[in-house]
Amino acid sequence: MADGVLRRCLGRCMLAAALALPAAPPVVAAPPAPLQVLLLDSLAVDLPGHGRRNRLELSDLAWDPASGDVWAVSDRGWLHRLQVEIEHGRLVAVQELSRVLLDGRPNLEALALRPGAVPLLAIDEERRLWLEIDRVGKVVAWHALPQALPTHAGHSVEAMAWHQRHGVLLVAQKSGSTGEHRILTTTGADWRLPALPGAQVRAMGWMADGRLLLLEQRRADGQVSFHLRATSLEGCGIGGRCDSSDVALPVSGTAAVDHLEGLACRGTQCLLVTDDGGAAPARTRLVLLELVTGAR
């Protein structure tokens, strides 16, 4: 009897003591580390162009971790495999290993890599499709873009990435009236990032620390500037709204006709490519950046 009373008393006392303890502070995600970008080098790409205007019109890049080669796609439906030689932060040379004209000449505006036998994913902007392509340049599947993506004129899709759990990530070029970049996936996930007025998304890629990068182009007062926006999708809050850090690219003298279009990262280095579609004379350039993160 006495033992039972003692046990009940101890239980009540322990409960009271626990209730008297201060509540544990809520877990708050750490703010994203600030991003700095160093411009290391740029190099003219001296390759035969396409068509009568002899332009490459490269629109996006993907860095192959297995081979170290760089895949590139063009507005005119070509798939290129490039060997890019980098030494001590300098772009030394670019050699074309292969080029394939895809069936139907799709207007390719975005490119991503995933593991597997069919590693290349691309967006056909004109037909509103995303494609699966093998390493020899054969299109093995076509898929409609998610219905939630804007499909009317002026709202194209020029950026995609591959997420191991969520599949294909897509974002519309323009934010529209929402004032946010909306990232959609083929599995139904949905994230939203802040978008500054006049910002258009040109490409997406991944940082070595797992953060997603968006390449933005902005127009203000007749000037064109380019920016990188970084976010961690795993740390997004209620409603899929994500914090992000934003940094302007140290690219000077880039004219409106010399747009940066593609983005591919490996480790702390990123390659970007200019679209020579409106340039006179025609020119395509690779730009090499170094990403630097640090504490606030």
Side-chain angles (χ1 to χ4, degrees):
M1 177 76 68
D3 290 343
V5 173
L6 180 59
R7 284 196 296 269
R8 288 195 296 273
C9 179
L10 286 174
R12 287 194 296 268
C13 292
M14 292 174 65
L15 176 60
L19 293 175
L21 291 175
V27 177
V28 178
L35 181 65
Q36 300 178 51
V37 178
L38 303 179
L39 176 62
L40 298 182
D41 200 13
S42 67
L43 180 69
V45 179
D46 186 18
L47 301 175
H50 306 131
R52 64 188 182 197
R53 295 189 302 164
N54 199 37
R55 302 185 190 277
L56 282 171
E57 296 190 66
L58 299 184
S59 52
D60 203 4
L61 306 171
W63 218 326
D64 194 330
S67 64
D69 298 333
V70 176
W71 296 90
V73 290
S74 81
D75 295 0
R76 294 179 176 272
W78 290 89
L79 173 68
H80 303 256
R81 189 168 188 170
L82 308 174
Q83 184 180 68
V84 180
E85 188 176 351
I86 301 173
E87 292 183 1
H88 308 294
R90 308 293 294 181
L91 287 166
V92 178
V94 178
Q95 178 183 358
E96 186 175 55
L97 302 178
S98 66
R99 70 165 63 185
V100 178
L101 180 60
L102 301 188
D103 291 341
R105 289 180 174 265
N107 181 358
L108 301 175
E109 286 291 344
L111 181 65
L113 271 176
R114 68 177 178 189
V118 184
L120 298 166
L121 309 172
I123 290 177
D124 180 351
E125 180 184 35
E126 185 174 343
R127 297 176 177 86
R128 307 287 181 177
L129 301 172
W130 66 273
L131 316 178
E132 299 182 63
I133 309 167
D134 66 17
R135 289 182 178 272
V136 298
K138 180 181 179 181
V139 179
V140 299
W142 298 259
H143 308 274
L145 294 176
Q147 292 185 353
L149 281 170
T151 57
H152 52 282
H155 285 263
S156 60
V157 181
E158 297 190 3
M160 74 184 311
W162 171 257
H163 191 284
Q164 193 65 34
R165 187 166 76 253
H166 296 290
V168 177
L169 274 58
L170 300 160
V171 60
Q173 179 183 2
K174 296 181 180 180
S175 59
S177 60
T178 64
E180 297 176 314
H181 297 308
R182 186 180 180 190
I183 301 173
L184 298 172
T185 77
T186 51
T187 59
D190 185 344
W191 297 276
R192 298 168 189 268
L193 304 178
L196 293 182
Q200 298 184 15
V201 178
R202 294 296 183 183
M204 285 197 294
W206 294 102
M207 293 177 60
D209 64 6
R211 281 187 289 172
L212 184 66
L213 282 177
L214 272 62
L215 173 64
E216 293 180 335
Q217 175 187 304
R218 299 179 193 164
R219 292 179 181 269
D221 302 324
Q223 299 296 314
V224 176
S225 61
F226 296 91
H227 303 251
L228 285 179
R229 182 176 295 278
T231 187
S232 173
L233 298 181
E234 306 305 323
C236 297
I238 297 174
R241 283 174 169 76
C242 311
D243 291 331
S244 63
S245 55
D246 167 33
V247 63
L249 298 186
V251 181
S252 60
T254 302
V257 295
D258 207 13
H259 295 313
L260 293 171
E261 284 279 332
L263 171 68
C265 298
R266 183 181 65 174
T268 60
Q269 291 185 337
C270 292
L271 281 173
L272 298 91
V273 69
T274 62
D275 178 3
D276 63 358
R283 59 185 179 183
T284 298
R285 299 189 68 85
L286 286 179
V287 178
L288 179 64
L289 303 174
E290 179 82 19
L291 304 180
V292 182
T293 59
R296 291 183 180 273

